[in-house]
């Protein structure tokens, strides 16, 4: 595995701070009704992404697919955060020209394949992407993410079976954040060790501390190397936590404030900052400079998104129909 150096810790701190502040800004814009529809934020789960990115080969070779909690993953993979924020505001400069919105961020170029609102639907799609990589011998690995709620969907079992049978280069990652909307993991099944679902398929599997990017990076590296050797899939259960509600309209009656505070004691960003301070990887002034950069970039994204225009109505026709099939439509892609 690539060594976890001072530079990696500093990058993790800056990235995770940016992701958190980016989401906080979206929450504020949602309250102003500038973001419409649903809005699911990633606060608390950042280490699962930071650690995975450390193990991945970016630039389109390795791929990622996830559910609707999907704003910061593409940013981590290199998509311009300004375009992501513009997408959420429905602007033409967005990643899908403003037509995907919060739950459907995509960038094929960067290897990010969404952004899926149907719980569990992306699990077989991720296996299919890995099938393509195997078929075309690209050497790429697909990271297929889903929640603890999605783990109870039947589609997981079909995907697990085929992925094992064909030894597909895929890593299945359950982000167990404790809840599926308001339903706790304890209430969804008679067992809480979701990783054990891999055992029935003899798939290598196990739990990972999803609040610690080092643990995530190590587990992901091992799984991705296994996939690259042609030995097939791995199933990892990342034990994590979401600090905000499921989406923006969630009174959170299903958990206590004390529980949230307990998990804030193991906040992934604080864990990384503590290591930076203990090892004197940065002075207080340097940390302040990082925080300033983060705030400036969030402000830049907001300005860009706010100032961008909404798409023209005509765009609806441009991207839905092919002119050859529908000659009465004057424009084409
Ligand atoms: C097939 C389907 N059933 C139900 C829903 C409604 N729904 C949206 S999110 C969600 C909870 C999923 O929880 P989990 O998989 O743990 O992901 P998390 O939100 O915690 O990231 C449900 C039931 C849906 N979108 N799709
Ligand atoms: Mg969940």
């Amino acid at each position: 595995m690539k060594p976890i150096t001072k530079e990696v810790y500093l990058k993790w701190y800056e990235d995770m701070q940016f992701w958190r502040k980016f989401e906080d800004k979206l929450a504020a814009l949602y309250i102003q009704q500038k973001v419409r529809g649903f809005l699911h934020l990633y606060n608390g789960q950042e280490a699962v992404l930071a650690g995975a990115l450390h193990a991945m080969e970016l630039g389109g070779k390795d791929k990622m697919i996830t559910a609707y909690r999907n704003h910061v993953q593409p940013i981590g993979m290199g998509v311009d955060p300004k375009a992501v924020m513009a997408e959420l505001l429905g602007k033409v400069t967005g990643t899908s020209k403003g037509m995907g919105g919060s739950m459907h961020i995509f960038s094929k170029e960067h290897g990010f394949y969404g952004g899926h609102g149907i719980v569990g639907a992306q699990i077989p799609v991720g296996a299919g992407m890995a099938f393509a990589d195997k078929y075309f011998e690209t050497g790429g690995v697909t990271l297929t993410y889903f929640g603890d709620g999605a783990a109870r969907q039947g589609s997981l079992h079909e995907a697990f079976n085929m992925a094992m049978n064909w030894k597909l280069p895929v890593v299945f990652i359950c982000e167990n954040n404790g809840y599926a909307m308001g339903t706790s993991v304890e209430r969804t099944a008679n067992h809480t060790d979701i990783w054990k679902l891999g055992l029935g398929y003899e798939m290598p599997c196990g739990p990972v501390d999803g609040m610690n990017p080092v643990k995530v990076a190590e587990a992901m590296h091992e799984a991705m190397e296994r996939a690259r050797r042609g030995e097939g899939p791995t199933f990892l259960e990342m034990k994590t936590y979401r600090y905000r509600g499921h989406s923006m309209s969630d009174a959170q009656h299903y958990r206590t404030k004390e529980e949230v505070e307990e998990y804030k004691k193991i906040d992934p960003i604080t864990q990384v900052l503590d290591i930076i301070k203990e090892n004197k990887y940065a002075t207080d002034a340097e940390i302040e400079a990082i925080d300033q950069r983060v705030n400036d970039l969030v402000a830049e994204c907001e300005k860009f998104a706010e100032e961008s225009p909404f798409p023209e109505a005509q765009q609806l026709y441009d991207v839905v129909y092919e002119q050859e099939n529908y000659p009465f439509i004057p424009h084409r892609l």
Side-chain angles (χ1 to χ4, degrees):
M1 187 174 77
K2 283 180 284 181
I4 300 175
T5 58
K6 164 187 159 182
E7 286 71 30
V8 172
Y9 278 107
L10 289 172
K11 181 173 164 40
W12 277 347
Y13 177 70
E14 184 158 351
D15 282 353
M16 293 200 291
Q17 273 289 54
F18 178 66
W19 302 337
R20 177 101 32 116
K21 297 272 166 72
F22 187 90
E23 296 285 60
D24 288 344
K25 175 58 71 183
L26 287 173
L29 290 168
Y30 190 89
I31 291 163
Q32 296 171 40
Q33 297 191 325
K34 288 178 176 163
V35 175
R36 306 298 181 95
F38 291 109
L39 183 71
H40 312 88
L41 305 176
Y42 202 60
N43 300 33
Q45 302 183 207
E46 295 91 349
V48 181
L49 176 60
L53 290 171
H54 185 73
M56 289 177 81
E57 285 185 38
L58 298 178
K61 182 172 178 184
D62 291 333
K63 301 174 191 68
M64 191 184 285
I65 185 167
T66 186
Y68 40 77
R69 217 174 280 291
N70 75 136
H71 315 140
V72 296
Q73 294 89 339
I75 295 172
M77 292 180 76
V79 175
D80 184 350
K82 296 200 291 296
V84 176
M85 197 168 277
E87 185 60 37
L88 274 126
L89 268 67
K91 299 300 182 76
V92 72
T93 50
T95 43
S96 295
K97 299 181 182 176
M99 295 180 294
S102 162
M103 299 200 286
H104 307 106
I105 312 292
F106 266 79
S107 176
K108 191 179 170 197
E109 180 196 344
H110 295 88
F112 186 75
Y113 286 73
H116 296 265
I118 306 297
V119 169
Q122 78 278 17
I123 307 174
V125 179
M129 286 159 58
F131 178 86
D133 276 329
K134 185 171 174 127
Y135 187 84
F136 292 114
E137 298 178 352
T138 67
V141 178
T142 299
L143 274 53
T144 303
Y145 283 86
F146 48 91
D148 44 281
R152 310 306 185 186
Q153 288 282 46
S155 59
L156 173 137
H157 296 277
E158 295 176 50
F160 274 22
N161 183 53
M162 282 195 268
M164 265 317 272
N165 201 19
W166 292 333
K167 298 287 179 289
L168 300 181
V170 55
V171 186
F172 295 108
I173 304 141
C174 175
E175 291 188 84
N176 179 359
N177 59 10
Y179 298 94
M181 296 181 86
T183 307
S184 67
V185 170
E186 291 75 22
R187 290 174 62 208
T188 58
N190 70 331
H191 72 104
T192 52
D193 286 324
I194 295 172
W195 62 270
K196 287 182 181 166
L197 291 174
L199 296 175
Y201 299 91
E202 299 184 357
M203 188 186 296
C205 54
V208 180
D209 175 358
M211 301 303 266
N212 182 338
V214 179
K215 299 281 180 221
V216 174
E218 287 168 356
M220 289 301 305
H221 174 76
E222 193 189 323
M224 293 183 79
E225 284 306 297
R226 180 179 298 120
R228 284 196 221 284
R229 287 195 303 270
E231 293 170 21
T234 301
F235 178 37
L236 300 172
E237 178 194 348
M238 303 280 171
K239 308 263 188 195
T240 183
Y241 198 75
R242 69 164 154 72
Y243 292 144
R244 284 185 171 271
H246 167 74
S247 66
M248 290 300 287
S249 50
D250 177 358
Q252 302 184 51
H253 292 312
Y254 51 85
R255 65 181 181 184
T256 61
K257 287 201 173 68
E258 290 73 33
E259 181 184 296
V260 180
E261 289 312 311
E262 272 308 302
Y263 279 97
K264 286 201 172 159
K265 291 182 188 157
I266 53 164
D267 186 325
I269 301 182
T270 316
Q271 289 197 46
V272 166
L273 186 59
D274 286 348
I275 291 169
I276 290 173
K277 286 184 174 170
E278 273 162 33
N279 294 284
K280 300 197 174 22
Y281 287 160
T283 62
D284 287 350
E286 284 164 342
I287 294 167
E288 266 176 42
I290 295 176
D291 291 340
Q292 189 58 50
R293 268 208 302 277
V294 162
N295 290 339
D296 290 348
L297 185 54
V298 171
E300 204 185 309
C301 292
E302 182 186 11
K303 187 169 185 293
F304 175 83
E306 290 266 24
E307 289 176 355
S308 294
F310 286 107
E312 298 288 331
Q314 183 61 46
Q315 183 177 297
L316 207 55
Y317 299 100
D318 291 347
V319 297
V320 175
Y321 300 108
E322 277 293 322
Q323 194 176 20
E324 282 79 359
N325 299 332
Y326 299 90
F328 51 89
I329 295 167
H331 289 263
R332 51 170 299 144
L333 278 174

